[in-house]
Amino acid sequence: MTSIKKETFSCTRENMTIRGLYFHPEGQGLPIAIISHGFMANYQTTKGYAQWFAERGYAAFCFDFNGGGLMGKSDKDTTKMTIFTEESDLEAVISYAKSLPETDEQSIILMGCSQGGVVSALAAAKLQSEISRLILFYPALCIPDDARAGKMMFAKFDPENIPETFHCGPMKLGRDYAASVLHCDLITEISKYTGKVLIIHGTADKIVDYHYSEQAQAAYADAELRLIPDAPHGFSGKDDQTALEYVGQFLHNG
């Protein structure tokens, strides 16, 4: 069994500190895998995936977005968070990962869950060939439609008059969280990435309809969609095992 090291790491973006965990085996030239958590979550929900990648020879990173959750270790102003600030956070983590002497900056996988999937997809569309592969778990591509409808999960508001702050359950958000996506066509935007993409979605997802993933798969140049029957939003147990089997197959396919 390969010995895996687990270390804390931090990097900065515009004077804000991003904190996370770094899992890796011994060696040099390690391919990079960076896993992004979903809305209101933190790296505790993705560290198992980072460990999984490290056991397969990757330098694997999970981290907390600035303002991305209630219990995160990064800077915490949730009213300034949008999917685009999170994209900037992810780009800072990518730069950090590339700077390490043991990593291979020519081999970078981005993986994201829910809103973290959207953020990973946006970063891949921007960075293009710098990203080797993209893996999306139940990506929250509904975010712009939800904002236009004035109903984002637990939050309700008038999309024509978005308040300066509003609550989504226990989390206080700022106007820009919704306003920044009102005129956004996410499917078109993310489809600019031309590398290999794997999308995994559950057919019983009540937060993000899996038809959004079908639209994304059709828009991408080279994407594979795996649907898990009766799986909800957020995988666990046998659904998580199935998803990781699909990821393993994707990594080994040319």
Side-chain angles (χ1 to χ4, degrees):
M1 185 74 175
T2 303
S3 176
I4 302 299
K5 287 188 176 182
K6 180 176 78 170
E7 307 171 18
T8 59
F9 80 92
S10 65
C11 58
T12 59
R13 192 264 298 174
E14 296 174 12
N15 298 318
M16 290 177 286
T17 302
I18 302 161
R19 299 177 176 89
L21 294 176
Y22 171 33
F23 296 82
H24 63 99
E26 294 285 354
Q28 297 293 312
L30 301 176
I32 296 167
I34 301 174
I35 302 95
S36 296
H37 69 73
F39 178 72
M40 268 198 302
N42 55 55
Y43 71 58
Q44 297 294 335
T45 62
T46 52
K47 66 180 184 180
Y49 298 134
Q51 174 82 29
W52 185 91
F53 273 98
E55 289 170 354
R56 286 153 182 81
Y58 287 80
F61 301 80
C62 58
F63 65 99
D64 290 338
F65 286 111
N66 286 312
L70 296 171
M71 305 294 289
K73 295 185 181 297
S74 297
D75 288 351
K76 294 182 172 61
D77 191 346
T78 60
T79 65
K80 294 181 179 178
M81 180 272 295
T82 70
I83 60 172
F84 304 107
T85 67
E86 291 197 345
E87 179 189 355
S88 295
D89 289 346
L90 176 54
E91 289 177 28
V93 175
I94 292 169
S95 294
Y96 173 82
K98 289 168 62 175
S99 75
L100 298 178
E102 67 272 19
T103 61
D104 178 4
E105 66 176 30
Q106 302 299 317
S107 181
I108 303 174
I109 289 174
L110 298 184
M111 173 177 160
C113 304
S114 194
Q115 181 167 298
V118 170
V119 172
S120 299
L122 287 170
K126 179 178 179 179
L127 298 174
Q128 287 291 340
S129 60
E130 293 182 48
I131 305 306
S132 304
R133 296 195 180 208
L134 177 64
I135 300 168
L136 308 177
F137 278 19
Y138 39 90
L141 297 167
C142 60
I143 288 175
D145 284 346
D146 289 354
R148 288 187 279 265
K151 186 177 181 181
M152 303 181 84
M153 292 183 68
F154 315 115
K156 293 184 180 180
F157 51 84
D158 177 1
E160 301 294 326
N161 187 26
I162 304 168
E164 285 303 309
T165 61
F166 58 95
H167 276 84
C168 185
M171 190 159 161
K172 187 178 182 181
L173 300 171
R175 182 180 185 277
D176 279 353
Y177 180 75
S180 64
V181 295
L182 283 177
H183 305 293
C184 182
D185 182 347
L186 268 184
I187 299 292
T188 298
E189 193 62 33
I190 67 172
S191 69
K192 294 174 183 177
Y193 178 66
T194 57
K196 290 183 178 294
V197 183
L198 172 65
I199 310 171
I200 307 177
H201 212 130
T203 62
D205 192 329
K206 297 187 183 306
I207 295 175
V208 182
D209 193 292
Y210 71 88
H211 290 109
Y212 283 98
S213 286
E214 291 182 329
Q215 293 174 38
Q217 189 272 334
Y220 274 121
D222 188 359
E224 173 185 355
L225 172 62
R226 297 282 199 152
L227 297 176
I228 301 181
D230 302 319
H233 192 78
F235 299 146
S236 61
K238 64 179 179 61
D239 294 330
D240 209 36
Q241 183 178 354
T242 297
L244 287 174
E245 288 172 1
Y246 290 150
V247 173
Q249 293 167 15
F250 176 68
L251 297 178
H252 285 96
N253 288 340

